[in-house]
Amino acid sequence: MAMEDVTGRPPPKNAMPISPIGWARRNLFSSVGNTILTLLSLYLLWLLVPPFVDFTIFSAVWTGTTREACLVPDAGACWPFVWANIDQFIYGRYPPSEIWRVNLTFALGAAVIIPMLIPGLPARKLNLVFLLVVYPLVALVLLAGDRPGLPPVPTSEWGGLLVTLVVAITGIVASLPLGVLLALGRRSDMPAIRMLSIIFIEFWRGVPLVTVLFMASVMLPLFLPEGFSPDNLLRCLVGVALFSSAYMAEVVRGGLQAIPAGQYEAARAVGLTYWQAMMQVVLPQALRHVIPGIVNTFIGLFKDTTLVLIVGLFDLLGQVRAQLSDPNWTVPQGALTGYIFAALVFWAFCFGMSQYSNFMERRLDTSRER
Amino acid sequence: MSNGSEAPAKRLKVSDKVMIEMKGVNKWFGDFHVLKDIDLTVNEGERIVIAGPSGSGKSTLIRCINHLEPHDEGGIVIDGVELTDDLKRIDEVRREVGMVFQQFNLFPHMTVLENCTLAPLWVRKMPEAEARELAMKYLERVQIPEQANKYPGQLSGGQQQRVAIARALCMNPKIMLFDEPTSALDPEMIKEVLDVMVELAEEGMTMLCVTHEMGFAREVANRVVFMDEGEIIEEAPPEDFFNAPKNERTKEFLAQILAH
């Protein structure tokens, strides 16, 4: 009984194409309630959208080199403020002569990550090893320096988008494998491992990220022996990674629960070991189920990086705020401009992630139906 | 399926070599005593059909044989290897024991071919080309080589179960366990799966089969084992089992199952 042999006549086509008025009548004004909601929505859009567009585009000041350019009456966004500070927004206080190192790190990162995201490319395993092992080391050497030809740049001079990406990518890359291990641990038959996983997960989920960062940055050095104090940024990275891995663990556990026990049993019955059964059979299916949840956690993590501001690290948002106090650029609309810029950058990254997640879901759905 | 008085599978000789030996096996699910003092010996080349009402412990019994369910008391020896909690031994036994499930349990994210090559590649460390060749050989035997590159979800139930049999055979098992292989199938697909199983039996495979297909039992089995409430109630060649059951509960069960 082959299923592709189904033939017959195609489904009926819509006889009449619907006119725009007909469409509106059917979808927007079909009832009194619907009509009221439609009008209310239109009114709200009219209140919000034109002023925003006017501020950011039509009344905005686009060119200029000093604050005077933005001091015209009724001026909108002061984009020259952003252009003038763009290096700070991206690199923080990284020495301008060494910025090429950051750019090289970004470029290498893109070269490693983008092929990873394109399905069906060969050598993905090698690529993964690169992403997880080689790239972090190369990035560390490049960014921190202190090698022949690379003068050291302390992390206190890092800032802006650089810090945002370092924190977010470290958190993302570390939290998925850690989360998977914790999720498996929580479902383990071994009481000790299960207990430890539960304690770990519930501890990190129970404390706010602000507390974690504060502990890592302020309290931890007090407990550690004198002279042994890991870098502030590094401590925050570890805190963020552990924090997000606890969330990831629960997302992954949800996926594991959706896989019927028979899958694991069948894998064991043909002789696979526990780890082989997990890696080859259970996890590929479980992770596919929870792509939306995983990406949700990534997006949350990406935005949570802004919290490193409270321990004295300047991420993109922190750097924008810092530049606002620059006396050369004190203009009334400066803060709003800066925040809109930061919001747009964050939105671009998060929207990108969410679109990629949708793309992967659709692709896995169509190529491998159950 | 049945043609003539004597099916070919019946003429096969059974060797003296003991493949499965269960002695005094007991098992509990919580407080529920699911297997009670099970003694069962299966020789190489024997075909055992296990029958009984639902909840009688049939599935649990065969799941103990490849240690998907650990037993609490007694001994189980498979081809000379005693099943204990030792993981190495369990893996050793599982490599030699194939299993087919009621719900097929194919891996939906892999193609039919990948389903079949997975274990040879990872467990036997076979080179990929060889594994693929082996898989195609068995897919041909279950008569679906043309579906090799499809995903299980694109196949009918009968085809999926035949893939599941091919997947188990790819490990060249010495024993095949069937856990109600046709119970989840639409009626018109049962035959294609039973045909494959009969063929396997004719090749002399040692088989344990939990099934309600009494025609299959009559034609293929050396022995029918009847279980109820966790005990083996009766154990007899199919002719005796169907024509002259000794135990009351067996008679009752047969009356119900053969009534229509």
Side-chain angles (χ1 to χ4, degrees):
Chain A
M1 203 199 84
M3 290 180 171
E4 73 274 29
D5 289 343
V6 177
T7 52
R9 71 190 178 92
K13 293 240 161 42
N14 263 338
M16 292 247 280
I18 307 165
S19 70
I21 295 172
W23 179 88
R25 195 171 285 167
R26 187 188 297 174
N27 293 298
L28 301 178
F29 303 100
S30 59
S31 67
V32 178
N34 211 340
T35 306
I36 292 173
L37 284 177
T38 300
L39 293 176
L40 200 65
S41 308
L42 287 175
Y43 176 67
L44 280 175
L45 286 176
W46 181 72
L47 274 186
L48 294 173
V49 174
F52 181 78
V53 173
D54 183 58
F55 181 83
T56 52
I57 297 175
F58 296 119
S59 305
V61 179
W62 291 88
T63 52
T65 46
T66 59
R67 63 189 282 267
E68 277 71 33
C70 294
L71 290 176
V72 287
D74 295 330
C78 180
W79 294 121
F81 163 69
V82 173
W83 314 147
N85 288 297
I86 195 77
D87 276 2
Q88 278 82 351
F89 292 167
I90 297 176
Y91 310 104
R93 295 194 293 124
Y94 212 88
S97 61
E98 303 296 323
I99 275 175
W100 64 271
R101 284 155 54 176
V102 181
N103 289 337
L104 183 59
T105 311
F106 284 164
L108 281 176
V112 180
I113 291 172
I114 289 173
M116 206 59 215
L117 299 181
I118 301 172
L121 281 188
R124 298 195 87 189
K125 255 186 205 145
L126 193 70
N127 207 327
L128 191 66
V129 172
F130 247 83
L131 180 63
L132 293 181
V133 182
V134 181
Y135 179 68
L137 293 175
V138 172
L140 180 70
V141 169
L142 267 177
L143 291 177
D146 209 5
R147 293 285 192 286
L150 298 173
V153 181
T155 56
S156 54
E157 292 182 5
W158 303 13
L161 189 63
L162 171 62
V163 161
T164 298
L165 289 178
V166 165
V167 176
I169 291 178
T170 312
I172 286 171
V173 168
S175 68
L176 191 56
L178 272 178
V180 167
L181 285 179
L182 285 167
L184 292 176
R186 194 166 184 168
R187 286 166 58 89
S188 167
D189 290 332
M190 286 171 269
I193 290 181
R194 188 171 56 234
M195 213 50 215
L196 285 175
S197 304
I198 292 177
I199 290 171
F200 183 94
I201 292 169
E202 296 305 335
F203 171 77
W204 288 100
R205 285 207 309 168
V207 287
L209 183 56
V210 173
T211 316
V212 173
L213 292 173
F214 216 71
M215 289 288 285
S217 159
V218 182
M219 301 291 283
L220 196 62
L222 299 180
F223 302 135
L224 291 174
E226 193 127 351
F228 177 74
S229 173
D231 183 83
N232 192 21
L233 178 64
L234 181 66
R235 278 177 277 150
C236 288
L237 285 181
V238 173
V240 167
L242 296 181
F243 182 83
S244 44
S245 66
Y247 280 86
M248 192 57 75
E250 289 300 278
V251 173
V252 173
R253 192 164 68 96
L256 290 173
Q257 276 169 347
I259 306 303
Q263 289 290 312
Y264 174 71
E265 286 175 357
R268 294 309 299 271
V270 288
L272 297 186
T273 64
Y274 172 84
W275 285 108
Q276 287 170 339
M278 284 300 157
M279 298 303 289
Q280 300 298 320
V281 174
V282 178
L283 280 172
Q285 298 182 59
L287 294 181
R288 188 170 302 168
H289 278 304
V290 290
I291 288 175
I294 291 174
V295 175
N296 200 28
T297 309
F298 285 169
I299 289 176
L301 171 62
F302 191 86
K303 293 190 291 190
D304 281 350
T305 57
T306 51
L307 291 174
V308 297
L309 181 66
I310 66 142
V311 292
L313 294 171
F314 288 89
D315 77 314
L316 174 63
L317 185 63
Q319 203 67 53
V320 167
R321 288 170 59 112
Q323 297 310 123
L324 289 178
S325 52
D326 179 358
N328 293 328
W329 283 101
T330 42
V331 287
Q333 68 274 42
L336 203 45
T337 307
Y339 288 135
I340 288 175
F341 170 74
L344 282 176
V345 174
F346 275 100
W347 181 82
F349 277 98
C350 295
F351 185 68
M353 283 193 263
S354 114
Q355 286 303 295
Y356 181 71
S357 140
N358 288 343
F359 160 74
M360 277 312 280
E361 269 177 71
R362 271 198 308 275
R363 185 174 174 280
L364 293 170
D365 238 31
T366 47
S367 75
R368 297 166 178 191
E369 66 240 75
R370 259 173 195 269
Chain B
M1 198 161 49
S2 195
N3 46 355
S5 56
E6 183 107 315
K10 281 303 174 66
R11 291 193 294 270
L12 280 171
K13 274 195 44 193
V14 172
S15 90
D16 294 336
K17 188 183 169 201
V18 175
M19 283 303 262
I20 302 172
E21 190 173 22
M22 302 178 88
K23 267 210 178 115
V25 171
N26 277 284
K27 177 169 179 61
W28 288 264
F29 285 136
D31 287 336
F32 180 58
H33 199 170
V34 57
L35 293 179
K36 298 172 186 163
D37 294 317
I38 299 291
D39 292 311
L40 182 68
T41 308
V42 182
N43 284 3
E44 189 178 34
E46 260 199 303
R47 292 149 323 262
I48 312 288
V49 162
I50 304 174
S54 67
S56 58
K58 316 178 291 278
S59 292
T60 310
L61 188 148
I62 70 164
R63 286 162 62 89
C64 281
I65 291 172
N66 65 353
H67 211 264
L68 282 183
E69 302 283 359
H71 55 287
D72 298 315
E73 275 178 23
I76 302 179
V77 181
I78 311 293
D79 195 17
V81 181
E82 163 127 42
L83 272 179
T84 58
D85 285 335
D86 181 2
L87 290 176
K88 269 216 173 110
R89 287 189 189 185
I90 296 171
D91 285 340
E92 202 178 317
V93 164
R94 282 177 179 158
R95 281 198 288 272
E96 310 304 332
V97 179
M99 185 160 192
V100 175
F101 299 85
Q102 182 177 357
Q103 298 297 339
F104 329 135
N105 292 352
L106 292 177
F107 309 133
H109 60 302
M110 298 180 181
T111 62
V112 164
L113 188 67
E114 288 165 345
N115 264 277
C116 294
T117 55
L118 181 72
L121 286 176
W122 288 89
V123 182
R124 298 252 189 254
K125 313 282 180 209
M126 200 179 271
E128 206 172 323
E130 196 182 323
R132 212 174 297 150
E133 206 173 300
L134 180 79
M136 285 313 290
K137 179 180 124 191
Y138 283 113
L139 286 174
E140 257 154 53
R141 243 181 70 180
V142 300
Q143 297 177 8
I144 34 176
E146 72 282 358
Q147 313 284 4
N149 291 315
K150 288 196 181 162
Y151 287 91
Q154 296 166 294
L155 305 185
S156 71
Q159 289 174 322
Q160 290 193 46
Q161 195 59 298
R162 285 186 282 148
V163 172
I165 295 173
R167 176 176 72 179
L169 291 177
C170 281
M171 286 294 286
N172 288 319
K174 294 179 182 151
I175 302 167
M176 282 288 282
L177 308 174
F178 292 87
D179 188 0
E180 305 208 25
T182 55
S183 301
L185 294 176
D186 290 337
E188 77 270 22
M189 295 171 187
I190 291 177
K191 186 176 177 300
E192 64 188 58
V193 171
L194 288 180
D195 284 350
V196 170
M197 292 168 61
V198 169
E199 211 177 289
L200 257 183
E202 285 166 1
E203 287 162 19
M205 174 69 76
T206 310
M207 291 166 67
L208 262 84
C209 187
V210 174
T211 185
H212 298 298
E213 297 295 330
M214 290 303 135
F216 175 80
R218 253 187 237 272
E219 184 187 2
V220 170
N222 305 83
R223 260 188 295 157
V224 180
V225 172
F226 178 71
M227 287 183 73
D228 194 16
E229 295 181 350
E231 288 173 293
I232 294 181
I233 304 283
E234 193 161 346
E235 211 182 318
E239 308 83 62
D240 300 345
F241 180 82
F242 289 109
N243 301 331
K246 295 189 191 79
N247 192 289
E248 274 311 309
R249 280 192 271 180
T250 318
K251 286 179 193 163
E252 213 175 292
F253 175 75
L254 284 174
Q256 277 170 357
I257 206 164
L258 300 175
H260 47 101

PDB file of all heavy atoms in Angstrom, chain B residues 72-87:
ATOM      1  N   ASP B  72      13.586  -9.788  39.134  1.00  0.00           N
ATOM      2  CA  ASP B  72      13.960  -9.592  40.541  1.00  0.00           C
ATOM      3  C   ASP B  72      14.538 -10.853  41.160  1.00  0.00           C
ATOM      4  O   ASP B  72      15.381 -10.781  42.055  1.00  0.00           O
ATOM      5  CB  ASP B  72      12.733  -9.142  41.346  1.00  0.00           C
ATOM      6  CG  ASP B  72      12.205  -7.814  40.847  1.00  0.00           C
ATOM      7  OD1 ASP B  72      13.028  -6.915  40.616  1.00  0.00           O
ATOM      8  OD2 ASP B  72      10.988  -7.673  40.665  1.00  0.00           O
ATOM      9  N   GLU B  73      14.084 -12.025  40.708  1.00  0.00           N
ATOM     10  CA  GLU B  73      14.567 -13.294  41.270  1.00  0.00           C
ATOM     11  C   GLU B  73      14.742 -14.304  40.156  1.00  0.00           C
ATOM     12  O   GLU B  73      14.101 -14.210  39.112  1.00  0.00           O
ATOM     13  CB  GLU B  73      13.530 -13.862  42.257  1.00  0.00           C
ATOM     14  CG  GLU B  73      13.632 -13.326  43.665  1.00  0.00           C
ATOM     15  CD  GLU B  73      12.535 -13.913  44.554  1.00  0.00           C
ATOM     16  OE1 GLU B  73      12.001 -15.001  44.230  1.00  0.00           O
ATOM     17  OE2 GLU B  73      12.220 -13.264  45.547  1.00  0.00           O
ATOM     18  N   GLY B  74      15.588 -15.270  40.415  1.00  0.00           N
ATOM     19  CA  GLY B  74      15.749 -16.350  39.457  1.00  0.00           C
ATOM     20  C   GLY B  74      16.868 -16.056  38.483  1.00  0.00           C
ATOM     21  O   GLY B  74      17.543 -15.031  38.577  1.00  0.00           O
ATOM     22  N   GLY B  75      17.073 -16.996  37.548  1.00  0.00           N
ATOM     23  CA  GLY B  75      18.173 -16.833  36.620  1.00  0.00           C
ATOM     24  C   GLY B  75      17.715 -16.889  35.174  1.00  0.00           C
ATOM     25  O   GLY B  75      16.800 -17.632  34.824  1.00  0.00           O
ATOM     26  N   ILE B  76      18.345 -16.083  34.342  1.00  0.00           N
ATOM     27  CA  ILE B  76      18.094 -16.132  32.906  1.00  0.00           C
ATOM     28  C   ILE B  76      19.444 -16.260  32.225  1.00  0.00           C
ATOM     29  O   ILE B  76      20.328 -15.439  32.450  1.00  0.00           O
ATOM     30  CB  ILE B  76      17.374 -14.857  32.411  1.00  0.00           C
ATOM     31  CG1 ILE B  76      16.046 -14.649  33.158  1.00  0.00           C
ATOM     32  CG2 ILE B  76      17.123 -14.949  30.914  1.00  0.00           C
ATOM     33  CD1 ILE B  76      15.301 -13.405  32.752  1.00  0.00           C
ATOM     34  N   VAL B  77      19.602 -17.315  31.430  1.00  0.00           N
ATOM     35  CA  VAL B  77      20.849 -17.514  30.701  1.00  0.00           C
ATOM     36  C   VAL B  77      20.529 -17.504  29.216  1.00  0.00           C
ATOM     37  O   VAL B  77      19.682 -18.266  28.746  1.00  0.00           O
ATOM     38  CB  VAL B  77      21.516 -18.853  31.097  1.00  0.00           C
ATOM     39  CG1 VAL B  77      22.827 -19.027  30.329  1.00  0.00           C
ATOM     40  CG2 VAL B  77      21.771 -18.898  32.597  1.00  0.00           C
ATOM     41  N   ILE B  78      21.179 -16.606  28.480  1.00  0.00           N
ATOM     42  CA  ILE B  78      20.943 -16.505  27.043  1.00  0.00           C
ATOM     43  C   ILE B  78      22.210 -16.947  26.340  1.00  0.00           C
ATOM     44  O   ILE B  78      23.249 -16.288  26.466  1.00  0.00           O
ATOM     45  CB  ILE B  78      20.629 -15.051  26.633  1.00  0.00           C
ATOM     46  CG1 ILE B  78      19.557 -14.440  27.526  1.00  0.00           C
ATOM     47  CG2 ILE B  78      20.244 -14.988  25.154  1.00  0.00           C
ATOM     48  CD1 ILE B  78      18.206 -15.045  27.391  1.00  0.00           C
ATOM     49  N   ASP B  79      22.134 -18.050  25.606  1.00  0.00           N
ATOM     50  CA  ASP B  79      23.268 -18.552  24.843  1.00  0.00           C
ATOM     51  C   ASP B  79      24.534 -18.590  25.713  1.00  0.00           C
ATOM     52  O   ASP B  79      25.599 -18.139  25.313  1.00  0.00           O
ATOM     53  CB  ASP B  79      23.494 -17.657  23.607  1.00  0.00           C
ATOM     54  CG  ASP B  79      24.410 -18.346  22.597  1.00  0.00           C
ATOM     55  OD1 ASP B  79      24.573 -19.577  22.704  1.00  0.00           O
ATOM     56  OD2 ASP B  79      24.938 -17.652  21.714  1.00  0.00           O
ATOM     57  N   GLY B  80      24.368 -19.076  26.920  1.00  0.00           N
ATOM     58  CA  GLY B  80      25.520 -19.240  27.799  1.00  0.00           C
ATOM     59  C   GLY B  80      25.887 -18.011  28.620  1.00  0.00           C
ATOM     60  O   GLY B  80      26.781 -18.078  29.452  1.00  0.00           O
ATOM     61  N   VAL B  81      25.206 -16.879  28.375  1.00  0.00           N
ATOM     62  CA  VAL B  81      25.529 -15.669  29.127  1.00  0.00           C
ATOM     63  C   VAL B  81      24.437 -15.425  30.147  1.00  0.00           C
ATOM     64  O   VAL B  81      23.263 -15.266  29.794  1.00  0.00           O
ATOM     65  CB  VAL B  81      25.644 -14.447  28.194  1.00  0.00           C
ATOM     66  CG1 VAL B  81      25.992 -13.208  29.000  1.00  0.00           C
ATOM     67  CG2 VAL B  81      26.685 -14.705  27.119  1.00  0.00           C
ATOM     68  N   GLU B  82      24.810 -15.398  31.400  1.00  0.00           N
ATOM     69  CA  GLU B  82      23.814 -15.148  32.439  1.00  0.00           C
ATOM     70  C   GLU B  82      23.524 -13.653  32.534  1.00  0.00           C
ATOM     71  O   GLU B  82      24.435 -12.824  32.583  1.00  0.00           O
ATOM     72  CB  GLU B  82      24.318 -15.676  33.792  1.00  0.00           C
ATOM     73  CG  GLU B  82      23.556 -15.097  34.972  1.00  0.00           C
ATOM     74  CD  GLU B  82      23.013 -16.155  35.902  1.00  0.00           C
ATOM     75  OE1 GLU B  82      23.748 -17.114  36.162  1.00  0.00           O
ATOM     76  OE2 GLU B  82      21.858 -16.018  36.354  1.00  0.00           O
ATOM     77  N   LEU B  83      22.238 -13.305  32.556  1.00  0.00           N
ATOM     78  CA  LEU B  83      21.849 -11.899  32.656  1.00  0.00           C
ATOM     79  C   LEU B  83      21.901 -11.448  34.112  1.00  0.00           C
ATOM     80  O   LEU B  83      21.156 -11.944  34.952  1.00  0.00           O
ATOM     81  CB  LEU B  83      20.427 -11.706  32.139  1.00  0.00           C
ATOM     82  CG  LEU B  83      20.244 -11.441  30.659  1.00  0.00           C
ATOM     83  CD1 LEU B  83      18.770 -11.310  30.345  1.00  0.00           C
ATOM     84  CD2 LEU B  83      20.986 -10.191  30.223  1.00  0.00           C
ATOM     85  N   THR B  84      22.794 -10.515  34.380  1.00  0.00           N
ATOM     86  CA  THR B  84      22.826  -9.906  35.709  1.00  0.00           C
ATOM     87  C   THR B  84      22.730  -8.403  35.493  1.00  0.00           C
ATOM     88  O   THR B  84      22.379  -7.951  34.407  1.00  0.00           O
ATOM     89  CB  THR B  84      24.138 -10.246  36.432  1.00  0.00           C
ATOM     90  OG1 THR B  84      25.212  -9.782  35.611  1.00  0.00           O
ATOM     91  CG2 THR B  84      24.266 -11.725  36.663  1.00  0.00           C
ATOM     92  N   ASP B  85      23.065  -7.624  36.496  1.00  0.00           N
ATOM     93  CA  ASP B  85      23.056  -6.181  36.315  1.00  0.00           C
ATOM     94  C   ASP B  85      24.311  -5.682  35.616  1.00  0.00           C
ATOM     95  O   ASP B  85      24.467  -4.496  35.378  1.00  0.00           O
ATOM     96  CB  ASP B  85      22.913  -5.485  37.676  1.00  0.00           C
ATOM     97  CG  ASP B  85      21.480  -5.603  38.185  1.00  0.00           C
ATOM     98  OD1 ASP B  85      20.577  -5.762  37.343  1.00  0.00           O
ATOM     99  OD2 ASP B  85      21.269  -5.550  39.410  1.00  0.00           O
ATOM    100  N   ASP B  86      25.216  -6.616  35.310  1.00  0.00           N
ATOM    101  CA  ASP B  86      26.449  -6.250  34.633  1.00  0.00           C
ATOM    102  C   ASP B  86      26.130  -5.713  33.227  1.00  0.00           C
ATOM    103  O   ASP B  86      25.638  -6.435  32.360  1.00  0.00           O
ATOM    104  CB  ASP B  86      27.337  -7.500  34.541  1.00  0.00           C
ATOM    105  CG  ASP B  86      28.656  -7.191  33.874  1.00  0.00           C
ATOM    106  OD1 ASP B  86      28.876  -6.017  33.522  1.00  0.00           O
ATOM    107  OD2 ASP B  86      29.468  -8.116  33.723  1.00  0.00           O
ATOM    108  N   LEU B  87      26.425  -4.424  33.014  1.00  0.00           N
ATOM    109  CA  LEU B  87      26.032  -3.787  31.751  1.00  0.00           C
ATOM    110  C   LEU B  87      26.694  -4.437  30.550  1.00  0.00           C
ATOM    111  O   LEU B  87      26.104  -4.533  29.479  1.00  0.00           O
ATOM    112  CB  LEU B  87      26.387  -2.301  31.791  1.00  0.00           C
ATOM    113  CG  LEU B  87      25.538  -1.456  32.745  1.00  0.00           C
ATOM    114  CD1 LEU B  87      26.038  -0.020  32.775  1.00  0.00           C
ATOM    115  CD2 LEU B  87      24.067  -1.484  32.321  1.00  0.00           C
TER     116      LEU B  87
END
